[in-house]
Amino acid sequence: MRRVTREVMSNMNWIILALLAVTMTAAAQQPASAPQNPQPVAATQPGQTAAQPSAAPSGQAQSAQSQSPQAQASLAPPTTMDQVVDRVIARENDLIKFLSPRTPIVETYLQNLTQDPQLGPIPQDDHYFLGRMDLSDSIDRSDYLQEKVKGEGEGMEKRLLGGLTKRFKFQYQPLGFSWMIFADRNNFDRQHYNFHYARREFLGDVRCLVFDLTPKKDAGRGRFLGRIWIEDQDFSIVRLNGTYARPSRNNYYYHMDSWRLNLIPGYWVPAYIYSEEGDFTAGAKNKIAFKAQTRMWGYNLKTGTANDELTQIRVDSVKDETPSAQDASPLAAEREWQQQAEDNVLERLERAGLLAPEGDVDKILQTVVNNIEITNNIELPRPVRTRVLTTSPLETFSVGNTIVVSRGLIDVLPDEGSLAMVLSHELAHIVLGHNLGSQYAFNDRMLFSDEATYQNLGFKHIPEEEAAADKKAVEMLKASPYAQKLDSAGLFIKALQKRAPQLSALLQAHLGNNITENGTVTRMAQLANSAPALDWNKLDQIAALPLGGRVKLNPWDDRVEIVKAQPVAMSHTVATTKTKCRCGPELGRGPVRVR
Ligand SMILES: [Zn+2]
């Protein structure tokens, strides 16, 4: 346990100026490198590139389209630039086909920016979208959140290829942010595009060929215009950067930087898209300025039908008729019943792509919980577990004896002490017996579509329980190893307090209680009293980390892990525009090939 604690400390002991602003340089935000893939991987040919033609026979690239990636890997390398382009087109269409039965989750978090004379661009307000993408036929999506964008139907959204509509005062179309997972879903070919080889470049450790793509004259509206990076072994697209050409009078396409990860052998899967518009330089005419992060995950989620779910539940209920369940004492039976509720909820959330599978981050969280429990002599009939919600909004809740913390919250917490603050509140609910939630032991309550999760599950407490949990949590913290380490937790509360009115979407909890109510921090607010004064200009003050820097979410299997992010001064994170690719080894988080 001690080892894990040290790990927590070193992972979280970063000094950074606190703004809670989304750090959104392409470099800082592009998803971290792919994990080492445990699967055996096929040997590949040494990278041959068109820039250095080999003597391999020509004329094979055209047949690549119909072949599996494994088969393709054994193809002779292309010898001309034309053959490279053919291979790229074939690989891209192969990927489109491969992903077409899948419905990944897509999340967009957006901050509108305003210019602060001292601090530069700061958040003005924010928006949050969460949905499932249907990649089967065109790109479509359904939403987890009920609020629909006013005045626009899905049809309109699709027709505009997800652009911004001027007519509706620059309302954001959620679909638009995920549009650039492909350059062109339907017509990625030579009939619609000119391919110009630009140069070679490394993205992280991956050797790439860079091409500029321009739509042909008569290719029509909404065609990709920009640059693509192709890895030089299988010729898959690794990154796309650009916009869409020829907007009509009523719409407007924003600029995107779209990154893929080699999460399974042979395929580079769309993982992260950074979008940005507007600037504050003198004479800039843009009326809008925003930055947005879009993440995709849950590619490997089962697309179970209601019938499948029903079958599973019947099997479950048969299992419950075991003699041991019937022989249990009333107390044991009640515990078992609560355990069942807890397990049902966790399993359902995981199946909806909202909960990461159990993993190493849970061990870190559990260590912090253990530290609080041991020093407070807390003994519970069942051990407290922790899990990570895959989403960005800052929230926590507990179900039964399991504490759930969102990826976004773990991302921005400045240190272990503030993690202890967050966990202690939920631990207090458990200790005080607030988390019955046993209605979820009835399996029929788990029968809903993934998109309806937020309407069917909820773990909110009444204000009295919230206040009681805060009180108990402060008590426990004071007796814990974190007693003297709560300054940054207090600063975090202060920073939240300062920014809460502008970050309502980030602070909107979807399953648990809000940390703020009406723009005021309510959760653990007492800790702010003993914290030092908040000073945005103080470089050594820890208040919050940028969103998206610490927790790495694997888009294929939803696993999360904590990465060692580099401390980044705020002046760099907000002001930096993507003048060059900084995804390289210096950040240690560039694309990494699994095969
Ligand atoms: Zn609470």
Side-chain angles (χ1 to χ4, degrees):
M1 184 200 299
R2 181 168 295 163
R3 193 187 59 78
V4 182
T5 312
R6 263 210 310 277
E7 204 169 288
V8 175
M9 301 290 282
S10 65
N11 274 330
M12 301 205 169
N13 190 20
W14 308 317
I15 310 292
I16 187 160
L17 176 61
L19 253 186
L20 258 191
V22 176
T23 313
M24 289 191 287
T25 64
Q29 289 311 311
Q30 74 96 8
S33 57
Q36 293 308 307
N37 197 305
Q39 296 172 33
V41 289
T44 48
Q45 301 233 331
Q48 300 267 10
T49 71
Q52 290 168 316
S54 73
S58 60
Q60 293 189 15
Q62 281 79 0
S63 62
Q65 191 149 8
S66 57
Q67 300 198 28
S68 73
Q70 282 74 18
Q72 221 167 336
S74 63
L75 281 181
T79 56
T80 67
M81 204 53 81
D82 266 0
Q83 288 172 4
V84 170
V85 170
D86 286 338
R87 195 73 76 88
V88 171
I89 290 172
R91 290 299 295 135
E92 184 69 356
N93 285 307
D94 196 18
L95 177 77
I96 290 169
K97 206 162 95 191
F98 173 68
L99 292 181
S100 65
R102 302 188 180 266
T103 56
I105 291 182
V106 55
E107 177 196 63
T108 297
Y109 177 62
L110 177 150
Q111 285 179 346
N112 282 310
L113 304 173
T114 184
Q115 182 79 344
D116 179 278
Q118 263 88 52
L119 302 169
I122 56 164
Q124 181 178 43
D125 59 41
D126 65 347
H127 298 273
Y128 180 70
F129 310 106
L130 183 71
R132 285 292 272 272
M133 260 194 301
D134 180 352
L135 301 174
S136 60
D137 166 35
S138 60
I139 298 170
D140 205 351
R141 59 174 279 153
S142 56
D143 283 286
Y144 279 65
L145 311 175
Q146 277 187 319
E147 304 114 300
K148 279 256 161 191
V149 179
K150 284 177 214 117
E152 290 271 313
E154 290 281 310
M156 174 72 90
E157 213 177 84
K158 274 162 93 171
R159 192 155 59 80
L160 294 172
L161 306 180
L164 283 177
T165 60
K166 278 183 182 157
R167 215 169 357 147
F168 294 99
K169 295 179 185 161
F170 289 118
Q171 273 178 349
Y172 302 111
Q173 305 303 315
L175 182 67
F177 295 101
S178 39
W179 192 255
M180 207 176 276
I181 62 168
F182 303 122
D184 191 320
R185 171 69 177 71
N186 300 318
N187 301 107
F188 187 72
D189 53 36
R190 289 176 183 279
Q191 288 73 55
H192 295 82
Y193 291 96
N194 300 309
F195 292 75
H196 301 282
Y197 171 73
R199 60 190 156 99
R200 302 180 63 158
E201 188 180 304
F202 274 90
L203 291 184
D205 299 331
V206 180
R207 250 190 342 197
C208 289
L209 301 171
V210 183
F211 285 85
D212 287 328
L213 250 71
T214 50
K216 297 234 173 179
K217 260 203 181 106
D218 51 356
R221 291 188 194 286
R223 296 294 178 193
F224 178 80
L225 173 69
R227 179 161 275 203
I228 56 175
W229 282 254
I230 314 296
E231 45 83 24
D232 68 356
Q233 290 187 19
D234 285 345
F235 305 97
S236 293
I237 298 177
V238 171
R239 177 187 177 191
L240 307 110
N241 180 312
T243 186
Y244 290 91
R246 290 179 213 130
S248 68
R249 205 143 37 100
N250 288 325
N251 68 50
Y252 175 82
Y253 301 116
Y254 25 78
H255 294 82
M256 290 180 241
D257 195 15
S258 176
W259 292 79
R260 296 179 179 178
L261 293 174
N262 189 199
L263 299 174
I264 41 167
Y267 291 102
W268 287 75
V269 180
Y272 176 81
I273 301 173
Y274 170 74
S275 334
E276 163 189 302
E277 278 313 312
D279 70 70
F280 294 105
T281 52
K285 290 203 172 72
N286 255 323
K287 294 281 186 290
I288 49 160
F290 71 80
K291 293 181 171 189
Q293 310 177 341
T294 297
R295 273 161 221 282
M296 276 73 68
W297 72 86
Y299 279 103
N300 210 23
L301 287 174
K302 301 259 180 317
T303 49
T305 63
N307 280 339
D308 291 340
E309 288 173 10
L310 217 52
T311 321
Q312 282 176 13
I313 278 158
R314 282 197 191 116
V315 172
D316 276 352
S317 60
V318 169
K319 202 168 64 190
D320 281 352
E321 307 290 337
T322 52
S324 69
Q326 286 171 349
D327 294 345
S329 71
L331 183 64
E334 196 186 320
R335 278 183 197 154
E336 202 162 297
W337 186 243
Q338 281 165 13
Q339 181 75 58
Q340 183 66 54
E342 186 177 328
D343 291 347
N344 277 354
V345 167
L346 296 174
E347 194 254 290
R348 187 68 193 86
L349 284 173
E350 192 173 325
R351 202 145 46 86
L354 297 173
L355 199 69
E358 278 181 85
D360 288 347
V361 179
D362 301 325
K363 289 183 196 148
I364 295 176
L365 302 185
Q366 251 150 22
T367 302
V368 175
V369 171
N370 284 347
N371 287 344
I372 302 170
E373 281 187 287
I374 291 166
T375 44
N376 282 277
N377 300 314
I378 292 167
E379 279 188 40
L380 295 162
R382 292 190 294 128
V384 174
R385 300 183 292 177
T386 56
R387 296 292 291 273
V388 179
L389 208 60
T390 49
T391 48
S392 287
L394 314 188
E395 71 173 304
T396 68
F397 61 88
S398 37
V399 47
N401 272 29
T402 298
I403 297 173
V404 181
V405 185
S406 69
R407 170 179 55 80
L409 184 53
I410 300 172
D411 252 341
V412 301
L413 286 172
D415 64 359
E416 191 179 347
S418 16
L419 186 58
M421 165 186 74
V422 162
L423 293 168
S424 65
H425 174 91
E426 295 302 337
L427 179 61
H429 279 307
I430 294 172
V431 170
L432 296 171
H434 292 167
N435 300 316
L436 297 175
S438 51
Q439 73 269 28
Y440 297 122
F442 293 102
N443 286 319
D444 61 283
R445 294 196 198 263
M446 298 297 124
L447 288 176
F448 50 81
S449 72
D450 291 348
E451 288 87 341
T453 301
Y454 291 155
Q455 285 83 59
N456 286 274
L457 296 181
F459 309 96
K460 287 187 171 50
H461 294 283
I462 54 171
E464 288 77 10
E465 286 181 349
E466 281 299 288
D470 271 356
K471 189 162 170 276
K472 179 78 186 161
V474 171
E475 238 174 76
M476 291 191 296
L477 283 174
K478 282 187 175 156
S480 81
Y482 305 104
Q484 305 305 318
K485 297 174 186 162
L486 295 172
D487 272 7
S488 40
L491 276 175
F492 177 72
I493 302 277
K494 283 187 174 178
L496 272 192
Q497 183 57 65
K498 195 89 175 169
R499 288 275 180 261
Q502 288 82 43
L503 302 178
S504 55
L506 189 63
L507 293 167
Q508 176 68 55
H510 296 281
L511 290 165
N513 283 85
N514 285 340
I515 293 174
T516 60
E517 296 292 345
N518 304 319
T520 302
V521 177
T522 45
R523 179 86 53 94
M524 303 294 283
Q526 197 192 321
L527 290 184
N529 300 336
S530 49
L534 181 69
D535 183 352
W536 295 126
N537 294 310
K538 243 181 154 174
L539 281 164
D540 61 344
Q541 201 171 65
I542 308 169
L545 293 172
L547 187 66
R550 177 188 288 161
V551 184
K552 193 167 87 173
L553 170 62
N554 181 315
W556 192 258
D557 60 17
D558 296 358
R559 292 193 175 275
V560 289
E561 66 183 284
I562 286 185
V563 290
K564 225 179 221 172
Q566 298 282 324
V568 186
M570 215 57 223
S571 53
H572 290 125
T573 57
V574 171
T576 304
T577 47
K578 304 179 302 301
T579 47
K580 63 170 186 150
C581 168
R582 299 191 309 145
C583 57
E586 73 270 22
L587 287 180
R589 295 171 55 226
V592 169
R593 200 187 285 280
V594 295
R595 38 178 300 166

